[in-house]
Amino acid sequence: MLPSGSRMRRGDEFADAVRKGARSGRPTLVAHFRMRRDVDEPPLVGFVVSRAVGGSVVRNRVKRRLRHLVRDRLDRLPRGSLLVVRANPPAASARSERLAAELDVALDRLLRRREPSAAHMDGRR
């Protein structure tokens, strides 16, 4: 399970991350990432698993698997960040290893975009 302080609960936080954040898509999931300004709180993580993924049992199993995977990666997320992981229909039949690999790729892309490039740091463009 995710720590209680890292669970996204408010709809405006979900909307902020999804509508205004950066997005990285993979076949089994899409990750939305946004940094909140002037907030020094633990990262918040939310999950979206629609009916397109499957029935309630399947959706809940996918959410549990994603929560478990994100829990192990929380330390990679900066303080004050919002992360929404949206499952795509192939997530229902994907092995945990594939979900983990695709989550890692999506997070790597999102976190890399966030970092200033070396060229900007030394004044070159």
Side-chain angles (χ1 to χ4, degrees), residues 56-85:
S56 63
V57 172
V58 172
R59 291 194 314 267
N60 285 321
R61 182 178 45 221
V62 169
K63 272 189 272 193
R64 280 193 309 271
R65 292 169 67 200
L66 289 172
R67 274 196 304 262
H68 176 76
L69 293 171
V70 170
R71 180 190 66 192
D72 295 338
R73 291 156 177 82
L74 264 180
D75 59 336
R76 294 180 55 193
L77 300 176
R79 292 185 63 79
S81 62
L82 300 174
L83 175 69
V84 173
V85 179

PDB file of all heavy atoms in Angstrom, residues 56-85:
ATOM      1  N   SER A  56     -15.104  -4.824 -12.239  1.00  0.00           N
ATOM      2  CA  SER A  56     -14.615  -4.261 -10.976  1.00  0.00           C
ATOM      3  C   SER A  56     -13.488  -5.078 -10.359  1.00  0.00           C
ATOM      4  O   SER A  56     -12.547  -4.519  -9.797  1.00  0.00           O
ATOM      5  CB  SER A  56     -15.761  -4.110  -9.982  1.00  0.00           C
ATOM      6  OG  SER A  56     -16.307  -5.375  -9.659  1.00  0.00           O
ATOM      7  N   VAL A  57     -13.556  -6.399 -10.469  1.00  0.00           N
ATOM      8  CA  VAL A  57     -12.500  -7.237  -9.898  1.00  0.00           C
ATOM      9  C   VAL A  57     -11.181  -6.985 -10.627  1.00  0.00           C
ATOM     10  O   VAL A  57     -10.128  -6.826 -10.000  1.00  0.00           O
ATOM     11  CB  VAL A  57     -12.897  -8.731  -9.969  1.00  0.00           C
ATOM     12  CG1 VAL A  57     -11.738  -9.615  -9.566  1.00  0.00           C
ATOM     13  CG2 VAL A  57     -14.107  -8.990  -9.096  1.00  0.00           C
ATOM     14  N   VAL A  58     -11.243  -6.913 -11.929  1.00  0.00           N
ATOM     15  CA  VAL A  58     -10.039  -6.668 -12.738  1.00  0.00           C
ATOM     16  C   VAL A  58      -9.495  -5.273 -12.459  1.00  0.00           C
ATOM     17  O   VAL A  58      -8.287  -5.087 -12.270  1.00  0.00           O
ATOM     18  CB  VAL A  58     -10.348  -6.848 -14.242  1.00  0.00           C
ATOM     19  CG1 VAL A  58      -9.178  -6.414 -15.106  1.00  0.00           C
ATOM     20  CG2 VAL A  58     -10.725  -8.287 -14.517  1.00  0.00           C
ATOM     21  N   ARG A  59     -10.376  -4.269 -12.422  1.00  0.00           N
ATOM     22  CA  ARG A  59      -9.931  -2.894 -12.164  1.00  0.00           C
ATOM     23  C   ARG A  59      -9.258  -2.777 -10.805  1.00  0.00           C
ATOM     24  O   ARG A  59      -8.216  -2.134 -10.678  1.00  0.00           O
ATOM     25  CB  ARG A  59     -11.111  -1.917 -12.246  1.00  0.00           C
ATOM     26  CG  ARG A  59     -11.656  -1.750 -13.642  1.00  0.00           C
ATOM     27  CD  ARG A  59     -12.585  -0.561 -13.771  1.00  0.00           C
ATOM     28  NE  ARG A  59     -13.579  -0.410 -12.731  1.00  0.00           N
ATOM     29  CZ  ARG A  59     -14.807  -0.889 -12.785  1.00  0.00           C
ATOM     30  NH1 ARG A  59     -15.204  -1.605 -13.829  1.00  0.00           N
ATOM     31  NH2 ARG A  59     -15.659  -0.659 -11.804  1.00  0.00           N
ATOM     32  N   ASN A  60      -9.837  -3.388  -9.794  1.00  0.00           N
ATOM     33  CA  ASN A  60      -9.244  -3.316  -8.456  1.00  0.00           C
ATOM     34  C   ASN A  60      -7.908  -4.041  -8.395  1.00  0.00           C
ATOM     35  O   ASN A  60      -6.980  -3.583  -7.727  1.00  0.00           O
ATOM     36  CB  ASN A  60     -10.207  -3.865  -7.404  1.00  0.00           C
ATOM     37  CG  ASN A  60     -11.324  -2.887  -7.115  1.00  0.00           C
ATOM     38  OD1 ASN A  60     -11.098  -1.689  -7.071  1.00  0.00           O
ATOM     39  ND2 ASN A  60     -12.524  -3.401  -6.927  1.00  0.00           N
ATOM     40  N   ARG A  61      -7.789  -5.152  -9.106  1.00  0.00           N
ATOM     41  CA  ARG A  61      -6.507  -5.870  -9.133  1.00  0.00           C
ATOM     42  C   ARG A  61      -5.442  -5.011  -9.812  1.00  0.00           C
ATOM     43  O   ARG A  61      -4.302  -4.929  -9.339  1.00  0.00           O
ATOM     44  CB  ARG A  61      -6.657  -7.210  -9.847  1.00  0.00           C
ATOM     45  CG  ARG A  61      -5.348  -8.010  -9.854  1.00  0.00           C
ATOM     46  CD  ARG A  61      -5.483  -9.354 -10.499  1.00  0.00           C
ATOM     47  NE  ARG A  61      -6.232  -9.244 -11.740  1.00  0.00           N
ATOM     48  CZ  ARG A  61      -7.150 -10.114 -12.138  1.00  0.00           C
ATOM     49  NH1 ARG A  61      -7.431 -11.168 -11.421  1.00  0.00           N
ATOM     50  NH2 ARG A  61      -7.777  -9.953 -13.282  1.00  0.00           N
ATOM     51  N   VAL A  62      -5.795  -4.361 -10.918  1.00  0.00           N
ATOM     52  CA  VAL A  62      -4.842  -3.482 -11.613  1.00  0.00           C
ATOM     53  C   VAL A  62      -4.423  -2.337 -10.701  1.00  0.00           C
ATOM     54  O   VAL A  62      -3.243  -2.009 -10.603  1.00  0.00           O
ATOM     55  CB  VAL A  62      -5.443  -2.963 -12.944  1.00  0.00           C
ATOM     56  CG1 VAL A  62      -4.597  -1.842 -13.534  1.00  0.00           C
ATOM     57  CG2 VAL A  62      -5.598  -4.101 -13.936  1.00  0.00           C
ATOM     58  N   LYS A  63      -5.379  -1.729  -9.980  1.00  0.00           N
ATOM     59  CA  LYS A  63      -5.035  -0.637  -9.055  1.00  0.00           C
ATOM     60  C   LYS A  63      -4.091  -1.112  -7.962  1.00  0.00           C
ATOM     61  O   LYS A  63      -3.122  -0.424  -7.632  1.00  0.00           O
ATOM     62  CB  LYS A  63      -6.297  -0.063  -8.414  1.00  0.00           C
ATOM     63  CG  LYS A  63      -6.929   1.037  -9.216  1.00  0.00           C
ATOM     64  CD  LYS A  63      -8.025   1.700  -8.437  1.00  0.00           C
ATOM     65  CE  LYS A  63      -9.305   0.960  -8.682  1.00  0.00           C
ATOM     66  NZ  LYS A  63     -10.499   1.651  -8.229  1.00  0.00           N
ATOM     67  N   ARG A  64      -4.350  -2.277  -7.396  1.00  0.00           N
ATOM     68  CA  ARG A  64      -3.469  -2.813  -6.347  1.00  0.00           C
ATOM     69  C   ARG A  64      -2.064  -3.037  -6.877  1.00  0.00           C
ATOM     70  O   ARG A  64      -1.074  -2.712  -6.213  1.00  0.00           O
ATOM     71  CB  ARG A  64      -4.033  -4.127  -5.790  1.00  0.00           C
ATOM     72  CG  ARG A  64      -5.130  -3.949  -4.787  1.00  0.00           C
ATOM     73  CD  ARG A  64      -5.430  -5.243  -4.042  1.00  0.00           C
ATOM     74  NE  ARG A  64      -5.661  -6.383  -4.912  1.00  0.00           N
ATOM     75  CZ  ARG A  64      -6.839  -6.738  -5.415  1.00  0.00           C
ATOM     76  NH1 ARG A  64      -7.917  -6.032  -5.141  1.00  0.00           N
ATOM     77  NH2 ARG A  64      -6.946  -7.796  -6.183  1.00  0.00           N
ATOM     78  N   ARG A  65      -1.962  -3.593  -8.088  1.00  0.00           N
ATOM     79  CA  ARG A  65      -0.649  -3.846  -8.670  1.00  0.00           C
ATOM     80  C   ARG A  65       0.096  -2.543  -8.925  1.00  0.00           C
ATOM     81  O   ARG A  65       1.294  -2.429  -8.641  1.00  0.00           O
ATOM     82  CB  ARG A  65      -0.799  -4.646  -9.958  1.00  0.00           C
ATOM     83  CG  ARG A  65      -1.296  -6.068  -9.688  1.00  0.00           C
ATOM     84  CD  ARG A  65      -1.711  -6.782 -10.939  1.00  0.00           C
ATOM     85  NE  ARG A  65      -0.577  -7.032 -11.814  1.00  0.00           N
ATOM     86  CZ  ARG A  65      -0.693  -7.278 -13.103  1.00  0.00           C
ATOM     87  NH1 ARG A  65      -1.873  -7.318 -13.677  1.00  0.00           N
ATOM     88  NH2 ARG A  65       0.374  -7.512 -13.828  1.00  0.00           N
ATOM     89  N   LEU A  66      -0.606  -1.542  -9.447  1.00  0.00           N
ATOM     90  CA  LEU A  66       0.029  -0.253  -9.716  1.00  0.00           C
ATOM     91  C   LEU A  66       0.439   0.439  -8.415  1.00  0.00           C
ATOM     92  O   LEU A  66       1.518   1.015  -8.339  1.00  0.00           O
ATOM     93  CB  LEU A  66      -0.902   0.645 -10.535  1.00  0.00           C
ATOM     94  CG  LEU A  66      -1.098   0.237 -11.991  1.00  0.00           C
ATOM     95  CD1 LEU A  66      -2.186   1.081 -12.639  1.00  0.00           C
ATOM     96  CD2 LEU A  66       0.209   0.332 -12.768  1.00  0.00           C
ATOM     97  N   ARG A  67      -0.409   0.384  -7.398  1.00  0.00           N
ATOM     98  CA  ARG A  67      -0.050   0.987  -6.107  1.00  0.00           C
ATOM     99  C   ARG A  67       1.221   0.356  -5.544  1.00  0.00           C
ATOM    100  O   ARG A  67       2.100   1.044  -5.030  1.00  0.00           O
ATOM    101  CB  ARG A  67      -1.190   0.818  -5.094  1.00  0.00           C
ATOM    102  CG  ARG A  67      -2.221   1.896  -5.161  1.00  0.00           C
ATOM    103  CD  ARG A  67      -3.093   1.929  -3.926  1.00  0.00           C
ATOM    104  NE  ARG A  67      -3.742   0.677  -3.648  1.00  0.00           N
ATOM    105  CZ  ARG A  67      -4.992   0.365  -3.970  1.00  0.00           C
ATOM    106  NH1 ARG A  67      -5.747   1.246  -4.605  1.00  0.00           N
ATOM    107  NH2 ARG A  67      -5.500  -0.803  -3.660  1.00  0.00           N
ATOM    108  N   HIS A  68       1.301  -0.962  -5.651  1.00  0.00           N
ATOM    109  CA  HIS A  68       2.482  -1.667  -5.152  1.00  0.00           C
ATOM    110  C   HIS A  68       3.733  -1.223  -5.911  1.00  0.00           C
ATOM    111  O   HIS A  68       4.787  -0.987  -5.309  1.00  0.00           O
ATOM    112  CB  HIS A  68       2.279  -3.176  -5.284  1.00  0.00           C
ATOM    113  CG  HIS A  68       3.464  -3.979  -4.880  1.00  0.00           C
ATOM    114  ND1 HIS A  68       3.806  -4.185  -3.568  1.00  0.00           N
ATOM    115  CD2 HIS A  68       4.411  -4.606  -5.613  1.00  0.00           C
ATOM    116  CE1 HIS A  68       4.903  -4.908  -3.509  1.00  0.00           C
ATOM    117  NE2 HIS A  68       5.294  -5.175  -4.744  1.00  0.00           N
ATOM    118  N   LEU A  69       3.629  -1.102  -7.226  1.00  0.00           N
ATOM    119  CA  LEU A  69       4.780  -0.696  -8.036  1.00  0.00           C
ATOM    120  C   LEU A  69       5.195   0.741  -7.732  1.00  0.00           C
ATOM    121  O   LEU A  69       6.387   1.045  -7.626  1.00  0.00           O
ATOM    122  CB  LEU A  69       4.466  -0.845  -9.523  1.00  0.00           C
ATOM    123  CG  LEU A  69       4.287  -2.280 -10.022  1.00  0.00           C
ATOM    124  CD1 LEU A  69       3.767  -2.281 -11.453  1.00  0.00           C
ATOM    125  CD2 LEU A  69       5.588  -3.057  -9.911  1.00  0.00           C
ATOM    126  N   VAL A  70       4.235   1.640  -7.589  1.00  0.00           N
ATOM    127  CA  VAL A  70       4.557   3.044  -7.326  1.00  0.00           C
ATOM    128  C   VAL A  70       5.145   3.206  -5.935  1.00  0.00           C
ATOM    129  O   VAL A  70       6.040   4.025  -5.727  1.00  0.00           O
ATOM    130  CB  VAL A  70       3.306   3.934  -7.528  1.00  0.00           C
ATOM    131  CG1 VAL A  70       3.554   5.338  -7.025  1.00  0.00           C
ATOM    132  CG2 VAL A  70       2.929   3.971  -8.998  1.00  0.00           C
ATOM    133  N   ARG A  71       4.668   2.431  -4.973  1.00  0.00           N
ATOM    134  CA  ARG A  71       5.198   2.525  -3.601  1.00  0.00           C
ATOM    135  C   ARG A  71       6.715   2.347  -3.591  1.00  0.00           C
ATOM    136  O   ARG A  71       7.431   3.064  -2.893  1.00  0.00           O
ATOM    137  CB  ARG A  71       4.543   1.464  -2.718  1.00  0.00           C
ATOM    138  CG  ARG A  71       5.041   1.506  -1.281  1.00  0.00           C
ATOM    139  CD  ARG A  71       4.570   0.334  -0.490  1.00  0.00           C
ATOM    140  NE  ARG A  71       5.196  -0.876  -1.046  1.00  0.00           N
ATOM    141  CZ  ARG A  71       4.835  -2.095  -0.735  1.00  0.00           C
ATOM    142  NH1 ARG A  71       3.840  -2.309   0.074  1.00  0.00           N
ATOM    143  NH2 ARG A  71       5.468  -3.131  -1.256  1.00  0.00           N
ATOM    144  N   ASP A  72       7.210   1.417  -4.388  1.00  0.00           N
ATOM    145  CA  ASP A  72       8.649   1.159  -4.451  1.00  0.00           C
ATOM    146  C   ASP A  72       9.418   2.261  -5.184  1.00  0.00           C
ATOM    147  O   ASP A  72      10.641   2.282  -5.149  1.00  0.00           O
ATOM    148  CB  ASP A  72       8.925  -0.183  -5.128  1.00  0.00           C
ATOM    149  CG  ASP A  72       8.395  -1.358  -4.323  1.00  0.00           C
ATOM    150  OD1 ASP A  72       8.207  -1.203  -3.093  1.00  0.00           O
ATOM    151  OD2 ASP A  72       8.157  -2.416  -4.929  1.00  0.00           O
ATOM    152  N   ARG A  73       8.701   3.162  -5.853  1.00  0.00           N
ATOM    153  CA  ARG A  73       9.353   4.219  -6.633  1.00  0.00           C
ATOM    154  C   ARG A  73       9.078   5.612  -6.076  1.00  0.00           C
ATOM    155  O   ARG A  73       9.471   6.609  -6.680  1.00  0.00           O
ATOM    156  CB  ARG A  73       8.868   4.134  -8.086  1.00  0.00           C
ATOM    157  CG  ARG A  73       9.391   2.888  -8.783  1.00  0.00           C
ATOM    158  CD  ARG A  73       8.511   2.460  -9.943  1.00  0.00           C
ATOM    159  NE  ARG A  73       9.072   1.310 -10.618  1.00  0.00           N
ATOM    160  CZ  ARG A  73       8.925   0.060 -10.203  1.00  0.00           C
ATOM    161  NH1 ARG A  73       8.251  -0.212  -9.097  1.00  0.00           N
ATOM    162  NH2 ARG A  73       9.458  -0.949 -10.881  1.00  0.00           N
ATOM    163  N   LEU A  74       8.420   5.702  -4.944  1.00  0.00           N
ATOM    164  CA  LEU A  74       8.074   7.000  -4.355  1.00  0.00           C
ATOM    165  C   LEU A  74       9.298   7.863  -4.086  1.00  0.00           C
ATOM    166  O   LEU A  74       9.239   9.088  -4.217  1.00  0.00           O
ATOM    167  CB  LEU A  74       7.322   6.801  -3.033  1.00  0.00           C
ATOM    168  CG  LEU A  74       5.809   6.837  -3.076  1.00  0.00           C
ATOM    169  CD1 LEU A  74       5.237   6.622  -1.693  1.00  0.00           C
ATOM    170  CD2 LEU A  74       5.280   8.081  -3.713  1.00  0.00           C
ATOM    171  N   ASP A  75      10.399   7.237  -3.713  1.00  0.00           N
ATOM    172  CA  ASP A  75      11.604   7.997  -3.390  1.00  0.00           C
ATOM    173  C   ASP A  75      12.182   8.718  -4.610  1.00  0.00           C
ATOM    174  O   ASP A  75      12.977   9.646  -4.465  1.00  0.00           O
ATOM    175  CB  ASP A  75      12.659   7.100  -2.757  1.00  0.00           C
ATOM    176  CG  ASP A  75      13.076   5.939  -3.643  1.00  0.00           C
ATOM    177  OD1 ASP A  75      12.284   5.539  -4.514  1.00  0.00           O
ATOM    178  OD2 ASP A  75      14.190   5.420  -3.450  1.00  0.00           O
ATOM    179  N   ARG A  76      11.775   8.340  -5.807  1.00  0.00           N
ATOM    180  CA  ARG A  76      12.243   9.007  -7.026  1.00  0.00           C
ATOM    181  C   ARG A  76      11.483  10.300  -7.310  1.00  0.00           C
ATOM    182  O   ARG A  76      11.955  11.137  -8.067  1.00  0.00           O
ATOM    183  CB  ARG A  76      12.073   8.077  -8.239  1.00  0.00           C
ATOM    184  CG  ARG A  76      12.957   6.855  -8.170  1.00  0.00           C
ATOM    185  CD  ARG A  76      12.764   5.957  -9.362  1.00  0.00           C
ATOM    186  NE  ARG A  76      12.968   6.689 -10.610  1.00  0.00           N
ATOM    187  CZ  ARG A  76      12.623   6.221 -11.798  1.00  0.00           C
ATOM    188  NH1 ARG A  76      12.067   5.036 -11.909  1.00  0.00           N
ATOM    189  NH2 ARG A  76      12.847   6.926 -12.880  1.00  0.00           N
ATOM    190  N   LEU A  77      10.306  10.437  -6.713  1.00  0.00           N
ATOM    191  CA  LEU A  77       9.472  11.602  -6.990  1.00  0.00           C
ATOM    192  C   LEU A  77       9.872  12.769  -6.092  1.00  0.00           C
ATOM    193  O   LEU A  77      10.035  12.604  -4.891  1.00  0.00           O
ATOM    194  CB  LEU A  77       7.997  11.261  -6.759  1.00  0.00           C
ATOM    195  CG  LEU A  77       7.425  10.139  -7.621  1.00  0.00           C
ATOM    196  CD1 LEU A  77       5.995   9.838  -7.214  1.00  0.00           C
ATOM    197  CD2 LEU A  77       7.495  10.517  -9.087  1.00  0.00           C
ATOM    198  N   PRO A  78      10.001  13.957  -6.677  1.00  0.00           N
ATOM    199  CA  PRO A  78      10.374  15.121  -5.867  1.00  0.00           C
ATOM    200  C   PRO A  78       9.224  15.563  -4.960  1.00  0.00           C
ATOM    201  O   PRO A  78       8.050  15.315  -5.258  1.00  0.00           O
ATOM    202  CB  PRO A  78      10.701  16.194  -6.906  1.00  0.00           C
ATOM    203  CG  PRO A  78      10.059  15.744  -8.159  1.00  0.00           C
ATOM    204  CD  PRO A  78       9.900  14.258  -8.098  1.00  0.00           C
ATOM    205  N   ARG A  79       9.583  16.226  -3.870  1.00  0.00           N
ATOM    206  CA  ARG A  79       8.570  16.760  -2.964  1.00  0.00           C
ATOM    207  C   ARG A  79       7.724  17.791  -3.701  1.00  0.00           C
ATOM    208  O   ARG A  79       8.221  18.540  -4.526  1.00  0.00           O
ATOM    209  CB  ARG A  79       9.227  17.381  -1.742  1.00  0.00           C
ATOM    210  CG  ARG A  79       9.894  16.338  -0.852  1.00  0.00           C
ATOM    211  CD  ARG A  79      10.454  16.923   0.415  1.00  0.00           C
ATOM    212  NE  ARG A  79       9.461  17.508   1.298  1.00  0.00           N
ATOM    213  CZ  ARG A  79       8.665  16.814   2.128  1.00  0.00           C
ATOM    214  NH1 ARG A  79       8.747  15.511   2.175  1.00  0.00           N
ATOM    215  NH2 ARG A  79       7.800  17.440   2.912  1.00  0.00           N
ATOM    216  N   GLY A  80       6.436  17.790  -3.411  1.00  0.00           N
ATOM    217  CA  GLY A  80       5.533  18.738  -4.042  1.00  0.00           C
ATOM    218  C   GLY A  80       5.020  18.313  -5.404  1.00  0.00           C
ATOM    219  O   GLY A  80       4.364  19.093  -6.080  1.00  0.00           O
ATOM    220  N   SER A  81       5.292  17.087  -5.804  1.00  0.00           N
ATOM    221  CA  SER A  81       4.860  16.647  -7.133  1.00  0.00           C
ATOM    222  C   SER A  81       3.525  15.908  -7.071  1.00  0.00           C
ATOM    223  O   SER A  81       3.134  15.375  -6.037  1.00  0.00           O
ATOM    224  CB  SER A  81       5.924  15.759  -7.773  1.00  0.00           C
ATOM    225  OG  SER A  81       6.126  14.592  -7.019  1.00  0.00           O
ATOM    226  N   LEU A  82       2.852  15.911  -8.205  1.00  0.00           N
ATOM    227  CA  LEU A  82       1.610  15.166  -8.401  1.00  0.00           C
ATOM    228  C   LEU A  82       1.856  14.150  -9.517  1.00  0.00           C
ATOM    229  O   LEU A  82       2.379  14.501 -10.570  1.00  0.00           O
ATOM    230  CB  LEU A  82       0.468  16.092  -8.821  1.00  0.00           C
ATOM    231  CG  LEU A  82       0.067  17.218  -7.883  1.00  0.00           C
ATOM    232  CD1 LEU A  82      -0.973  18.113  -8.547  1.00  0.00           C
ATOM    233  CD2 LEU A  82      -0.469  16.657  -6.582  1.00  0.00           C
ATOM    234  N   LEU A  83       1.467  12.908  -9.284  1.00  0.00           N
ATOM    235  CA  LEU A  83       1.589  11.865 -10.299  1.00  0.00           C
ATOM    236  C   LEU A  83       0.269  11.130 -10.391  1.00  0.00           C
ATOM    237  O   LEU A  83      -0.268  10.663  -9.381  1.00  0.00           O
ATOM    238  CB  LEU A  83       2.698  10.871  -9.939  1.00  0.00           C
ATOM    239  CG  LEU A  83       2.843   9.668 -10.868  1.00  0.00           C
ATOM    240  CD1 LEU A  83       3.366  10.100 -12.243  1.00  0.00           C
ATOM    241  CD2 LEU A  83       3.765   8.626 -10.259  1.00  0.00           C
ATOM    242  N   VAL A  84      -0.283  11.060 -11.589  1.00  0.00           N
ATOM    243  CA  VAL A  84      -1.485  10.264 -11.837  1.00  0.00           C
ATOM    244  C   VAL A  84      -1.092   9.179 -12.823  1.00  0.00           C
ATOM    245  O   VAL A  84      -0.535   9.457 -13.884  1.00  0.00           O
ATOM    246  CB  VAL A  84      -2.648  11.113 -12.403  1.00  0.00           C
ATOM    247  CG1 VAL A  84      -3.817  10.230 -12.815  1.00  0.00           C
ATOM    248  CG2 VAL A  84      -3.096  12.140 -11.373  1.00  0.00           C
ATOM    249  N   VAL A  85      -1.377   7.927 -12.469  1.00  0.00           N
ATOM    250  CA  VAL A  85      -1.107   6.791 -13.342  1.00  0.00           C
ATOM    251  C   VAL A  85      -2.455   6.288 -13.845  1.00  0.00           C
ATOM    252  O   VAL A  85      -3.311   5.886 -13.044  1.00  0.00           O
ATOM    253  CB  VAL A  85      -0.346   5.675 -12.603  1.00  0.00           C
ATOM    254  CG1 VAL A  85      -0.091   4.500 -13.536  1.00  0.00           C
ATOM    255  CG2 VAL A  85       0.968   6.207 -12.034  1.00  0.00           C
TER     256      VAL A  85
END
